[in-house]
């Protein structure tokens, strides 16, 4: 069973930083490919960042150079460090894993970038 819980969202000014956290209550976390998605108001869900079991990462072009995804396998946790935030980063952010044929999502955490 997989249960993902995100935290760390909030209101931040343009240029600021936030760190999102996602904890996976399931097992074999270290083997899982973990992803962060976001959904802006009125838009579909988009992939932001991916991290595989050996720590390899990939990013959407819109966040490359600003966001960093990382993982702590000992604590079943994946992070998204978001720097140089822009108003267009405002969205609900979701942690995701596809595991044993099922797609699992967290409840989401809202990030608002505004002055």
């Amino acid at each position: 069973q997989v249960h993902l819980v995100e935290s760390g969202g909030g209101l931040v000014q343009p240029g600021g930083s936030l760190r999102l956290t996602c904890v996976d209550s399931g097992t074999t976390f270290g083997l899982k490919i973990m992803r962060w998605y976001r959904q802006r108001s009125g838009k579909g869900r988009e992939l932001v960042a991916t991290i595989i079991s050996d720590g390899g990462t990939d990013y959407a072009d819109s966040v490359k150079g600003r966001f960093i995804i990382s993982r702590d396998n000992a604590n079943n946790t994946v992070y998204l460090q978001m720097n140089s935030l822009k108003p267009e980063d405002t969205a609900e952010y979701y942690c995701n894993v596809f595991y044993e044929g099922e797609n699992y999502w967290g409840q989401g955490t809202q990030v608002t970038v505004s002055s």
Side-chain angles (χ1 to χ4, degrees):
Q1 193 74 338
V2 176
H3 183 54
L4 304 174
V5 178
E6 302 105 333
S7 61
L11 173 64
V12 63
Q13 291 189 340
S17 297
L18 279 175
R19 188 176 79 158
L20 306 184
T21 299
C22 171
V23 179
D24 174 5
S25 64
T27 58
T28 64
F29 175 81
L31 302 179
K32 295 173 180 170
I33 300 171
M34 302 300 298
R35 295 181 173 92
W36 284 99
Y37 283 78
R38 68 184 179 189
Q39 186 164 17
R40 291 180 268 199
S41 180
K43 306 279 188 179
R45 205 166 283 191
E46 61 173 327
L47 178 62
V48 174
T50 301
I51 186 164
I52 63 177
S53 58
D54 68 358
T57 59
D58 192 36
Y59 299 92
D61 287 343
S62 58
V63 307
K64 233 172 243 183
R66 300 188 298 122
F67 289 13
I68 301 170
I69 188 171
S70 61
R71 66 192 300 157
D72 177 357
N73 290 338
N75 290 294
N76 283 21
T77 302
V78 60
Y79 303 98
L80 185 68
Q81 177 67 43
M82 306 186 294
N83 302 318
S84 303
L85 282 161
K86 305 175 182 179
E88 52 264 42
D89 294 317
T90 296
E92 190 84 7
Y93 283 73
Y94 297 91
C95 183
N96 166 269
V97 63
F98 185 78
Y99 181 66
E100 293 189 341
E102 297 282 343
N103 217 3
Y104 294 91
W105 300 92
Q107 83 285 0
T109 186
Q110 177 67 34
V111 172
T112 302
V113 185
S114 175
S115 55

